[in-house]
Amino acid sequence: MAENEGGIVKKGHEEGLKMAVSLLEEFGLPGGLLPLANVIEVGFVRATGYMWIVQQKKVEHDFKMANKVVSYGSDINAYIETKRIKKLRGVKAREMMMWPPVTEIREDDPPTGKIHFKSLAGITKTFPVQAFAFGQ
């Protein structure tokens, strides 16, 4: 069975972005975590929490409050649950001269105002949640 089987799919930038932001909000995550551009498709399988995003090309975004540049690939997928995104693929954050993949994003529950990004190398970075609010 394909991971995306039985998923809700939204096509096009406006509908796709709206769906991505509403999923982040529904699961208690900051709406600005996915600054997407030229979205082709966003999908979500409620039964498993599997989410995928296809955009025309890679996007780099500078989260100024966190002083962090993040790269979002043309294919992004993950499993989303309350306050957490896990098994994330397609997102990298610049660390010094390297771009390690981000594999998990977790917000403290109960909330402390902190959000944690874990990379493939096992490194976890913590930032204020508001650094990833919509429009940052």
Side-chain angles (χ1 to χ4, degrees), residues 4 6-10 19 42-46 52:
N4 60 0
I8 306 159
V9 178
K10 297 290 183 191
M19 181 171 164
V42 173
F44 177 61
V45 181
R46 189 157 297 281
W52 70 95

Side-chain angles (χ1 to χ4, degrees), residues 24-25 27-34 63 65-66 68 70 72 80-85 88 102 104-119 123-134 136:
L24 290 172
E25 289 169 352
F27 290 98
L29 292 159
L33 266 181
L34 298 168
F63 289 99
M65 275 178 73
K68 183 63 59 191
V70 181
Y72 296 85
I80 188 167
E81 56 191 47
T82 303
K83 300 278 188 199
R84 188 167 170 220
I85 295 173
L88 179 61
V102 177
E104 188 174 315
I105 301 170
R106 180 180 51 80
E107 194 176 323
D108 288 342
D109 194 11
T112 60
K114 301 274 181 231
I115 189 164
H116 312 278
F117 294 78
K118 190 167 144 190
S119 79
I123 300 160
T124 300
K125 296 280 186 183
T126 301
F127 300 99
V129 170
Q130 68 264 28
F132 301 93
F134 197 69
Q136 280 300 321

Side-chain angles (χ1 to χ4, degrees), residues 36-40 54-60 72-76:
L36 306 169
N38 302 313
V39 174
I40 296 167
V54 181
Q55 49 183 0
Q56 280 176 13
K57 59 182 193 295
K58 181 177 96 168
V59 174
E60 282 184 14
Y72 296 85
S74 54
D75 274 309
I76 300 165

